Amino acid sequence: MATGLVDPLAEASSVRVLGSPMLRSEDSALLTGAARYLADVPCEGALHAVFVRSPIAHARIQSVEVDDARAMPGVTGVFVAGDMGGLRMPPVEDTPETFARPLLAIGRVRFVGEPVAVVVAQTRARAMDAAEAVAIDYAPLAPVIDPEAALQPDAPVLFQAHGSNVAFRVDEVADDPRALGDAEITMRARFVNQRVAPVPMEPNGALAIAGTAAGQPSVTLWASVQAPQDTRRIVAQVLGLGPGQVRVRTAVVGGGFGGKIPTYPEHVVIAWLARHMGTAVRWSETRSENMVAMTHGRGQVQHVELGATRDGRLLGLRVFVIQDIGAYASEAATLPPLTGLMASGPYRIPRIDFHAVLVLTNTTPVGAYRGAGRPEATWLLERALDMLADDLGIDPAEIRRRNFIPSSAFPYRTPTGANYDSGDLRGALDAALRAAGYRELRQEQASRIERGETWQLGIGISSYIEITGWGSEYASVEASEQGTFTVLTGTSPHGQGHETTWAQIVADTLGVSFDAVTVRHSDTALVPRGEGTMGSRSLQVGGSAVLRASVALRGKARRLAAHLLKTGESGVRFSGGRIGVRGAPELSLSWGGLAAAAADPSSLPPGMETGLRAEDDFEMADSTYPSGVHVAVVEVDTETGKVKLVRHVAADDCGRRVNPMLVEGQIHGGAAQGAAQALYESFVYDEEGNPLTSSLATYAMPSAAELPAFDTIPLVTPTDRNPLGAKGVGEGGTIGAGPAVHNAVIDALSHLGVRHVDPPMTPERVWTAITDAGRDVPGDRNEGGAHGPAGPERFDRGNRHPNAERPVSGRGVTPKIR
Ligand code: MCN
């Protein structure tokens, strides 16, 4: 395969840096505390903003009394929506205008944490004190927290003008009424893929500085975001400014995990305040603010029916998803379409029927979170497959092997419209099982069961294929007279290590020192365009643009050197950081010397522009599809329900690896997040919509101490869809790990009669499941079964909920990768 690859190494340095596990150049500043995050950006005299947030999930705002707060020492202003002309955010992803979120609440609050007013003061402490003095009179309204309850005809409706809590439906991805028509056996289940919080190390924040640009009033907004160009577009649009009047920059961004893709109303408020007050205003979220104000992830209820032959060959899949989108339509609009697109997983499933409703609830808006719709697809399929295997008495590894799309069948188009490029799932499964010692583990499991041991062993397998890369990305590479190189990129890293990998690509292509390359990003005044970092797109789109710009720069250098050294272009050689003539070592130029010559029009060959610089916009014609197999091994204490993840093997294939060490790091971090969702994390509300997990004392985020050392197996099936032959890796670890850990826990307990437990599998849930199974409690609603009736949650092609049929936006949502 790998047909369209450009080999940047064809004529490059003797020391190969592309493909080497180089240490991250970012890390010394991060580890020594020298790195500058948003709150560290110096800005003399900046005022401090603090938001007054709703403590109630659903209420009418009767009045907001700000006089006491305004009179407090050091307070320079207190503002409500009316002071800002009732400005609203633009609808996200073409969602209906009805849902456009106000910058500050207008008339009604719809979730705990929604900003209602903003206080500005000389210090943060004074602003916090004054925020306490803002008196808001709320008339509580009945809230709706559970997305299934929100579908009931008598549920409180969040947007009266819309008339229903169904924001929209997804019906176009795969509509096959006969999906299960040929099945000899059908496994049915209802799964909850719970709501989680992204918890980036650095919470949200902004610093806006009013000024002038080209004689016009302008604002510079420092924000902790993943897509600065998008933030600039939105801020300019809401404030009625031209793009030239808004500059967006980031400092070092301490993680995002999807939660920093959106531009938040708070960002726009800070920019508005700076302009309105003619000064600089800064805002930094507290952790508990972050837990309720930053978008959450997942939040799906999944009704799944998987049909097969009696020997375990998959024939059809039918899925109905109820997506909780929270209080405003946001990035969540992109999630179910991706779940649908990836519903076939790495298997041949001839027929698929997928429908979803996206439902408003009085909770924090839901958005992209590491994997964004794809982990949900893998999770439902991998659980359903294990349950089917259990019904049929087939080994979980064997049922997967029987259904994998063979390598020879790639490129492969699924019934949901995905166009898989390449992969070797069978190879990945074999490698992962071998590394885990699958046969021995099964023997050990059997003997623990036989001995009736308290700590039982569980082995979980998850195979996945996911989709990465979309759109286009910008890059430029320029050589200086000092012999250094500057890369501008439209990607916006926030922990991924682009400064290292982009420098590797340039160093390798030009045959120069890695240390001579500087990568600059995330400043809209410096980088003309770019879509940012999300969807594991950056290397394949942004890195490919860097590669192509480097190749173009090498071409220009070759032509100029040939002209200066009076030789043919084919005689020019790049070696040891210099540009010389083949067979004439005395004739050579340094890159700095060449850059100096390029600045002088009289030195240039006819038609060549000054400057030793090249740029590129690389556009993906189609996405890439990384894949892999994870095997998790757990021990479960059957007396207390405690689960220990004791081993985790991850065999991931992200095509060609530019920096294997970074790839490993991404898989470790990703797998930790997947395991965390399976075992620990869950964002929980009470019935009134009060968040119960809005601090790190109550939200169970694991640390390294709870996790094993991950065993990673590097697999490489290149793709021909970009010149690097690379696929994304930023999310694969999360997608593979969650269901593997989940399956392992159920595997440890299935001999006790436990069939399914929704994540997170806390000791309480696991213990309850064991106890109920022991008492022979009739199956709860999570227990589907190949043999029994579908139970109360059986659905009829998405029409089960009467409210789901109410007229909605009148259009479907098509997949876009986040
Ligand atoms: N890489 C490589 N070879 C490959 C693929 C990737 O060497 N074949 C390297 C890349 O050069 C890059 C890193 O691995 O340094 C990740 O690349 P890629 O898969 O292109 O993903 P992105 O850079 O676009 O990162 C986005 C992805 C997503 S969607 C989430 S969510 C996520 C993640 O990255 N959030 C993160 N990893 C994170 N890591 C940190 N530390 N913090 C986050 O918030």
Side-chain angles (χ1 to χ4, degrees), residues 269-283:
V269 169
I270 300 302
W272 184 91
L273 287 171
R275 280 174 49 73
H276 180 75
M277 303 177 89
T279 183
V281 180
R282 68 192 323 155
W283 159 64

Side-chain angles (χ1 to χ4, degrees), residues 24 226 254-258 369-371 494-498 501-502 533-540 654-660 662-663 666 673 726-731 818:
R24 292 176 12 137
Q226 296 176 221
F257 307 110
Y369 170 67
R370 208 163 191 172
H494 43 281
Q496 291 85 356
H498 298 175
T501 28
W502 283 204
T533 287
M534 63 200 78
S536 305
R537 67 186 294 273
S538 300
L539 176 67
Q540 56 195 302
C654 60
R656 190 168 175 185
R657 299 176 172 212
V658 168
N659 185 324
L662 273 156
V663 167
Q666 286 293 317
Q673 272 176 297
K727 307 180 185 186
V729 77
E731 294 154 295
R818 288 312 208 186

Side-chain angles (χ1 to χ4, degrees), residues 90-113:
V92 177
E93 297 288 335
D94 305 327
T95 53
E97 277 287 337
T98 333
F99 306 129
R101 189 174 158 185
L103 298 193
L104 296 173
I106 301 175
R108 198 187 259 241
V109 286
R110 294 186 174 85
F111 69 97
V112 170

Side-chain angles (χ1 to χ4, degrees), residues 71-139:
M72 287 175 73
V75 173
T76 47
V78 183
F79 303 88
V80 295
D83 300 318
M84 299 180 178
L87 290 175
R88 289 176 185 269
M89 299 295 284
V92 177
E93 297 288 335
D94 305 327
T95 53
E97 277 287 337
T98 333
F99 306 129
R101 189 174 158 185
L103 298 193
L104 296 173
I106 301 175
R108 198 187 259 241
V109 286
R110 294 186 174 85
F111 69 97
V112 170
E114 181 163 7
V116 180
V118 61
V119 175
V120 185
Q122 275 151 3
T123 67
R124 192 169 180 226
R126 287 202 186 280
M128 281 178 144
D129 286 347
E132 300 267 306
V134 174
I136 304 171
D137 185 10
Y138 295 102

Side-chain angles (χ1 to χ4, degrees), residues 187-553:
M187 199 296 301
R188 299 189 172 91
R190 171 188 177 274
F191 302 136
V192 177
N193 201 293
Q194 83 273 26
R195 177 188 275 260
V196 291
V199 203
M201 192 175 64
E202 180 200 35
N204 208 344
L207 164 65
I209 305 161
T212 47
Q216 284 196 306
S218 70
V219 63
T220 296
L221 180 71
W222 293 79
S224 190
V225 291
Q226 296 176 221
Q229 300 283 354
D230 205 42
T231 300
R232 173 167 78 154
R233 177 185 63 77
I234 291 169
V235 170
Q237 185 180 337
V238 178
L239 299 186
L241 301 171
Q245 290 175 275
V246 180
R247 175 183 185 183
V248 174
R249 315 177 65 171
T250 76
V252 169
V253 174
F257 307 110
K260 292 181 182 171
I261 297 172
T263 301
Y264 287 85
E266 288 92 332
H267 294 138
V268 187
V269 169
I270 300 302
W272 184 91
L273 287 171
R275 280 174 49 73
H276 180 75
M277 303 177 89
T279 183
V281 180
R282 68 192 323 155
W283 159 64
S284 300
E285 245 177 14
T286 62
R287 174 60 62 192
S288 41
E289 251 184 314
N290 174 263
M291 297 296 282
V292 294
M294 183 165 275
T295 51
H296 292 164
R298 315 286 189 250
Q300 287 190 0
V301 178
Q302 305 166 329
H303 294 266
V304 182
E305 296 180 276
L306 186 60
T309 59
R310 293 209 168 268
D311 65 353
R313 287 189 200 278
L314 299 179
L315 293 175
L317 171 69
R318 182 195 276 177
V319 180
F320 178 58
V321 166
I322 299 162
Q323 171 74 57
D324 182 357
I325 65 171
Y328 291 93
S330 66
E331 296 277 327
T334 62
L335 306 180
L338 277 174
T339 305
L341 182 70
M342 297 315 296
S344 193
Y347 309 110
R348 271 191 203 273
I349 308 181
R351 291 173 175 277
I352 297 183
D353 187 48
F354 181 92
H355 298 270
V357 284
L358 287 80
V359 185
L360 293 150
T361 57
N362 291 111
T363 59
T364 294
V366 172
Y369 170 67
R370 208 163 191 172
R374 293 103 89 202
E376 293 88 324
T378 300
W379 215 305
L380 74 86
L381 201 52
E382 293 302 296
R383 276 304 299 132
L385 206 52
D386 259 25
M387 289 164 88
L388 180 71
D390 190 39
D391 288 334
L392 294 171
I394 301 175
D395 181 274
E398 179 53 27
I399 201 164
R400 286 169 172 81
R401 203 172 275 125
R402 279 184 203 171
N403 287 287
F404 279 144
I405 299 159
S407 310
S408 56
F410 289 95
Y412 178 89
R413 197 171 277 280
T414 71
T416 61
N419 182 18
Y420 296 168
D421 49 353
S422 59
D424 177 11
L425 270 303
R426 213 173 240 271
L429 180 67
D430 291 344
L433 293 181
R434 215 174 15 252
Y438 188 61
R439 191 173 311 161
E440 296 74 23
L441 284 169
R442 286 280 175 223
Q443 283 162 1
E444 165 72 10
Q445 181 182 47
S447 59
R448 285 198 199 189
I449 292 172
E450 203 176 319
R451 293 196 299 267
E453 287 195 12
T454 305
W455 283 87
Q456 290 291 330
L457 193 71
I459 308 129
I461 302 172
S462 158
S463 313
Y464 74 89
I465 186 158
E466 68 130 339
I467 178 168
T468 61
W470 51 268
S472 67
E473 203 47 89
Y474 169 86
S476 71
V477 184
E478 181 164 19
S480 78
E481 293 181 26
Q482 290 70 43
T484 58
F485 301 82
T486 302
V487 179
L488 300 183
T489 175
T491 64
S492 196
H494 43 281
Q496 291 85 356
H498 298 175
E499 291 169 29
T500 303
T501 28
W502 283 204
Q504 286 181 261
I505 294 169
V506 174
D508 221 304
T509 312
L510 302 180
V512 299
S513 157
F514 170 79
D515 297 324
V517 186
T518 304
V519 178
R520 303 193 65 187
H521 56 82
S522 309
D523 179 351
T524 61
L526 196 66
V527 184
R529 52 193 171 273
E531 308 221 31
T533 287
M534 63 200 78
S536 305
R537 67 186 294 273
S538 300
L539 176 67
Q540 56 195 302
V541 200
S544 292
V546 171
L547 171 61
R548 293 185 355 150
S550 305
V551 170
L553 182 67

